[in-house]
């Protein structure tokens, strides 16, 4: 009898575990800070490299290897292009070009460092963040802002890719 109960319990337990599908979360994290003493915005992005490579492959119809030993100079050029098309920042109502400074891998996350220079006074910031939403509509981009001592965070999704901040 104990053996029957054990097998029944184990069977129900196994079915319960296998009935739930694995769901991957598609999340990237961005930090945007205003450094008034340097008159610049400092931007850090943390994006899963495999998701980014898949998005680049979908957009440019070629396999990419960012963050691996197969990474090519073309991969880096297309990364910069992709970020400039999908992460757009307007300062005081004017579009500003981002400078790609460097990148590094931390585990399976690609960290990109960018900046926008020549910002003597910051009155407003308009951010369009659609990175990876063209690849997967479930993508969520959490963006933390630290501007003039004020911290704010926003969630950018496929249905909400724009935010306006006024100071």
């Amino acid at each position: 009898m104990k053996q029957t109960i054990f097998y029944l319990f184990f069977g129900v337990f196994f079915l319960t575990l296998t009935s739930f599908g694995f769901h991957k979360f598609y999340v990237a994290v961005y930090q945007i800070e205003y450094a008034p003493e340097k008159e610049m915005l400092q931007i850090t992005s943390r994006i899963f490299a495999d998701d980014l490579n898949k998005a680049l492959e979908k957009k440019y119809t070629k396999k990419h290897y960012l963050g691996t030993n197969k990474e090519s100079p073309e991969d880096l050029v297309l990364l910069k292009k992709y970020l400039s098309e999908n992460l757009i920042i307007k300062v005081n109502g004017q579009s500003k070009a981002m400078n790609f400074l460097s990148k590094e891998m931390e585990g399976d996350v690609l960290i990109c460092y960018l900046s926008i220079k020549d910002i003597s006074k910051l009155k407003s910031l308009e951010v369009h963040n659609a990175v990876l939403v063209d690849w997967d509509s479930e993508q969520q981009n959490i963006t933390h802002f630290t501007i003039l001592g004020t911290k704010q965070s926003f969630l950018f999704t496929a249905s909400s890719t724009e935010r306006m901040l006024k100071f």
Side-chain angles (χ1 to χ4, degrees):
M1 181 70 177
K2 286 184 181 180
Q3 193 174 19
T4 305
I5 292 174
F6 172 76
Y7 286 124
L8 181 62
F9 174 77
F10 183 77
V12 169
F13 180 72
F14 180 76
L15 284 173
T16 302
L17 286 179
T18 58
S19 66
F20 296 105
F22 179 77
H23 182 265
K24 185 176 178 184
F25 292 96
Y26 299 102
V27 177
V29 179
Y30 300 80
Q31 179 69 40
I32 300 176
E33 294 184 34
Y34 177 55
E37 68 283 355
K38 296 179 182 178
E39 296 186 348
M40 70 170 20
L41 282 176
Q42 299 169 324
I43 304 153
T44 305
S45 68
R46 296 175 182 272
I47 308 169
F48 285 104
D50 61 339
D51 295 343
L52 189 54
N53 282 318
K54 289 173 187 172
L56 291 176
E57 182 177 352
K58 180 180 178 182
K59 182 165 180 89
Y60 302 113
T61 62
K62 181 182 175 193
K63 193 146 178 75
H64 297 276
Y65 299 96
L66 286 166
T68 71
N69 57 0
K70 293 181 179 181
E71 181 179 297
S72 71
E74 181 188 11
D75 290 336
L76 187 56
V77 167
L78 291 177
L79 168 65
K80 292 175 184 178
K81 180 180 179 185
Y82 183 80
L83 288 175
S84 71
E85 291 172 352
N86 291 284
L87 181 61
I88 301 166
I89 299 176
K90 290 183 180 179
V91 178
N92 302 329
Q94 297 181 345
S95 291
K96 295 284 188 171
M98 284 187 293
N99 303 309
F100 186 93
L101 303 174
S102 66
K103 66 172 184 52
E104 66 179 322
M105 285 296 293
E106 186 176 278
D108 54 355
V109 174
L110 183 69
I111 304 172
C112 299
Y113 301 98
L114 307 112
S115 70
I116 298 175
K117 296 180 180 181
D118 300 323
I119 304 172
S120 59
K121 187 165 181 147
L122 186 59
K123 296 177 185 174
S124 68
L125 206 63
E126 186 177 337
V127 179
H128 170 84
N129 188 340
V131 176
L132 298 183
V133 298
D134 57 342
W135 168 68
D136 192 308
S137 62
E138 293 182 29
Q139 175 68 30
Q140 298 180 344
N141 296 320
I142 301 168
T143 307
H144 303 289
F145 296 89
T146 305
I147 312 289
L148 303 171
T150 303
K151 294 182 181 182
Q152 296 180 353
S153 296
F154 295 103
L155 180 66
F156 292 85
T157 63
S159 62
S160 177
T161 59
E162 308 256 339
R163 293 286 181 186
M164 171 68 98
L165 292 91
K166 293 187 179 186
F167 311 99

